[in-house]
Amino acid sequence: MQLYKDQNLRVHNSLTGKKEVFQPINEGHVGMYVCGPTVYSNVHLGNCRTFMSFDMIFRYFKHLGYKVRYVRNITDAGHLENDADDGEDKIAKKAKLEQIEPMEVVQRYTVDFHNTLQQFNLLPPSIEPTATGHIIEQIEIIKEILEKGYAYEANGSVYFDVIKFNKDHEYGKLSGRKLEDMIANTRELTAQDEKRNPQDFALWKKAEPQHIMRWPSPWGDGFPGWHLECTAMSTKYLGETFDIHGGGMDLKFPHHECEIAQAEASTGKSPVKYWLHANMLTLNGKKMSKSTGNNIYPSEIISGDNTILSKAYSPAVVRFFMMQAHYTSILDLSDEALQASEKGYNRLMEAMGSLDALKTGSKSDFDVLAWKQKCYDAMNDDFNTPILIAHLFDAVKHINLIKEEKESITEADKAELSSTMTAFVYEVLGIENQSLAKDDSNALNGVMELLIQLRNEARANKDFATSDKIRDELTALGIQLKDGKDGTTFSIN
Ligand SMILES: [Zn+2]
């Protein structure tokens, strides 16, 4: 269904600082690129929040009926320790530290990244390209930028000429910085610097002999600059200009600013129509940081194995908690906040579970169609999930009143309410009903108890044909019965 034809979605564009009506370049299609992780350590909770925000955005576009191509990369080379183009490659450093191959580091943390995101019920992107898989494309873009005169070679490295670019374009327009101010606020170059100006950034870095991750290029053996991979992969899969580019707020400068410069220098076109930035997550009111210990990993929240929170929280509760804040707002995680979210989540799931059994009547005390449009209006206002959730709880209140027979609802309204709740809770917000899984195992335990009891009765009556049949049929289903001195237990293969 092409719901987007009836909905007027507006998104906050970081490039203009305004909410703008979303009009895709190709009708009915959305191209979205989000900067993925550098896979040299376990994924941080703050990064999870960013990817979850864009997962919700991806889901809403799909819900509206758009055909979405969502590209999220994996940075497996070229990301140096600091933004000034020096320091070691983050992946190579970890590999040296652990005495393993860089690709072992990449594999280990890519698996962690996927597992963690899957736990939080994130949908996989349409394409997940890697930097090392697109070296040729990156070299091609460097050649184009050199040809256009916006880059220069120095001692086997290639740098982007920011001063030259700024003469014909506007460097700093995304982050609201002026090149003059940047120049005034940076240190002078030292004699051994290869760059003409401190603002210049590397497109290609010469690999020193000890550097393990290296590729041949027209400028000698080296590796691509971090900013370049996103330009190469977004252009390759989404075209020279595409609809949405997303990422964490911290990537606005220099990363996204450099992406714009590279694309404009090579194609002459502005690469992105709408830039979307997700805000950060704090912990107990402070910035999360491994060095200060004010940090928690996703797995530690789920297992409860940490000193910061009083208990474990399910991934669905954590996701619900994240969705209760607007993606552009700072969100603070604390034990109290998670406890409150858990209560809210349980109330929501209880209401979802009672929808089917609601009795219907000849009139409705709840204007379902008006409520439904309010839900869409919230999402159409730059994906305002906290307002959407407030509307969902308004519905929960009515569901409970109908359950208590203090209000009534017609059959048609009930169907509308049910399908809208299901769409927003499960499909758009991606909140899983994990209490369902618990109910399933409760039901299974009950059935098994009954079967074990019947088998015991058959054995007591010396009806071995029946007792054996129960055991054999269960074995065929992959369920093993074990007779011990405390009775019979079962295990599932
Ligand atoms: Zn990027």
Side-chain angles (χ1 to χ4, degrees), residues 92 94-105 108 212:
K94 183 87 173 186
K96 242 191 268 173
L97 209 69
E98 303 205 358
Q99 295 188 310
I100 53 178
E101 279 288 323
M103 280 301 134
E104 283 182 273
V105 174
R108 179 186 299 168
I212 3 182

Side-chain angles (χ1 to χ4, degrees), residues 33-36 73 75 226-227 229-230 245 251 255-256 259:
Y33 186 89
V34 172
C35 293
N73 68 303
T75 298
W226 172 43
H227 312 308
E229 62 172 283
C230 288
H245 193 314
L251 295 182
H255 186 57
H256 290 161
E259 277 188 50

Side-chain angles (χ1 to χ4, degrees), residues 44-54 56 116-117 120 122 279-282 288 296-298 301 314-333 337-338 341-342 383-386 389 429 431:
H44 289 210
L45 195 63
N47 289 342
C48 283
R49 184 190 176 204
T50 298
F51 298 126
M52 221 181 271
S53 296
F54 287 104
M56 171 274 293
T116 306
L117 263 45
F120 289 120
L122 274 77
N279 215 324
M280 63 170 177
L281 183 73
T282 56
M288 293 214 321
I296 192 162
Y297 280 101
I301 299 190
S314 74
V317 167
V318 177
R319 180 159 180 138
F320 180 65
F321 162 73
M322 303 261 196
M323 291 296 136
Q324 283 178 297
H326 190 255
Y327 77 98
T328 60
S329 314
I330 293 177
L331 171 64
D332 188 48
L333 185 134
L338 282 172
S341 288
E342 190 174 57
F383 315 101
N384 201 326
T385 54
I389 290 173
L429 293 175
I431 313 280

Side-chain angles (χ1 to χ4, degrees), residues 3-235:
L3 292 175
Y4 60 82
K5 289 193 168 154
D6 309 318
Q7 304 297 335
N8 189 26
L9 172 63
R10 291 158 78 238
V11 301
H12 180 269
N13 189 352
S14 308
L15 196 60
T16 57
K18 292 195 190 98
K19 271 185 208 167
E20 297 172 8
V21 174
F22 178 75
Q23 274 169 333
I25 295 163
N26 300 306
E27 210 219 294
H29 294 258
V30 175
M32 175 161 95
Y33 186 89
V34 172
C35 293
T38 301
V39 282
Y40 73 107
S41 68
N42 293 105
V43 61
H44 289 210
L45 195 63
N47 289 342
C48 283
R49 184 190 176 204
T50 298
F51 298 126
M52 221 181 271
S53 296
F54 287 104
D55 180 64
M56 171 274 293
I57 289 170
F58 177 39
R59 284 167 174 270
Y60 189 54
F61 277 126
K62 280 163 59 109
H63 172 75
L64 290 181
Y66 285 109
K67 287 200 168 67
V68 192
R69 181 179 291 168
Y70 172 24
V71 182
R72 187 186 65 209
N73 68 303
I74 294 274
T75 298
D76 57 353
H79 195 172
L80 303 184
E81 282 177 291
N82 62 49
D83 289 331
D85 295 323
D86 49 56
E88 272 186 272
D89 181 299
K90 290 184 181 191
I91 286 158
K93 185 183 176 185
K94 183 87 173 186
K96 242 191 268 173
L97 209 69
E98 303 205 358
Q99 295 188 310
I100 53 178
E101 279 288 323
M103 280 301 134
E104 283 182 273
V105 174
V106 165
Q107 178 70 16
R108 179 186 299 168
Y109 296 113
T110 301
V111 167
D112 169 75
F113 175 68
H114 286 153
N115 286 346
T116 306
L117 263 45
Q118 204 177 6
Q119 276 184 306
F120 289 120
N121 199 30
L122 274 77
L123 300 173
S126 330
I127 305 177
E128 195 172 44
T130 63
T132 55
H134 297 77
I135 302 287
I136 293 167
E137 288 83 350
Q138 295 177 74
I139 291 174
E140 286 307 311
I141 293 176
I142 299 172
K143 283 192 204 160
E144 275 168 43
I145 299 175
L146 277 168
E147 250 168 57
K148 305 261 165 75
Y150 293 114
Y152 55 91
E153 193 193 339
N155 189 29
S157 292
V158 182
Y159 295 98
F160 190 91
D161 190 339
V162 171
I163 307 265
K164 173 89 190 290
F165 175 77
N166 195 55
K167 284 192 181 125
D168 319 318
H169 302 82
E170 193 189 343
Y171 185 73
K173 62 182 167 190
L174 177 67
S175 54
R177 295 170 193 230
K178 290 252 168 294
L179 185 59
E180 302 88 82
D181 301 338
M182 289 184 231
I183 293 167
N185 293 326
T186 42
R187 63 183 174 86
E188 299 273 301
L189 287 173
T190 54
Q192 58 270 41
D193 262 316
E194 293 165 347
K195 292 183 192 178
R196 291 182 189 161
N197 291 288
Q199 282 68 42
D200 295 351
F201 57 89
L203 297 172
W204 186 261
K205 283 284 275 180
K206 178 187 176 169
E208 298 305 328
Q210 72 274 16
H211 200 99
I212 3 182
M213 300 171 86
R214 56 203 300 141
W215 291 267
S217 82
W219 318 283
D221 275 10
F223 55 93
W226 172 43
H227 312 308
L228 188 63
E229 62 172 283
C230 288
T231 299
M233 295 188 270
S234 58
T235 311

Side-chain angles (χ1 to χ4, degrees), residues 380-479:
N380 291 339
D381 184 16
D382 193 28
F383 315 101
N384 201 326
T385 54
I387 301 289
L388 167 68
I389 290 173
H391 293 315
L392 296 178
F393 275 102
D394 191 34
V396 168
K397 191 184 77 193
H398 287 289
I399 291 167
N400 290 338
L401 287 168
I402 296 162
K403 211 159 69 177
E404 293 163 18
E405 296 182 18
K406 287 178 183 153
E407 277 191 7
S408 69
I409 191 164
T410 63
E411 189 69 46
D413 277 350
K414 179 184 153 178
E416 192 72 54
L417 174 65
S418 182
S419 66
T420 308
M421 284 294 276
T422 303
F424 280 109
V425 174
Y426 299 139
E427 196 185 311
V428 174
L429 293 175
I431 313 280
E432 280 182 300
N433 192 346
Q434 289 177 329
S435 51
L436 266 185
K438 202 169 68 195
D439 289 350
D440 279 356
S441 67
N442 281 347
L444 176 68
N445 285 336
V447 170
M448 286 307 299
E449 229 166 83
L450 178 68
L451 282 171
I452 290 169
Q453 196 189 329
L454 288 174
R455 177 168 166 262
N456 289 345
E457 280 171 17
R459 289 210 289 192
N461 294 333
K462 302 209 182 320
D463 177 6
F464 296 113
T466 302
S467 69
D468 287 352
K469 186 171 183 216
I470 291 172
R471 190 198 55 214
D472 296 344
E473 297 276 322
L474 285 172
T475 306
L477 289 169
I479 300 173

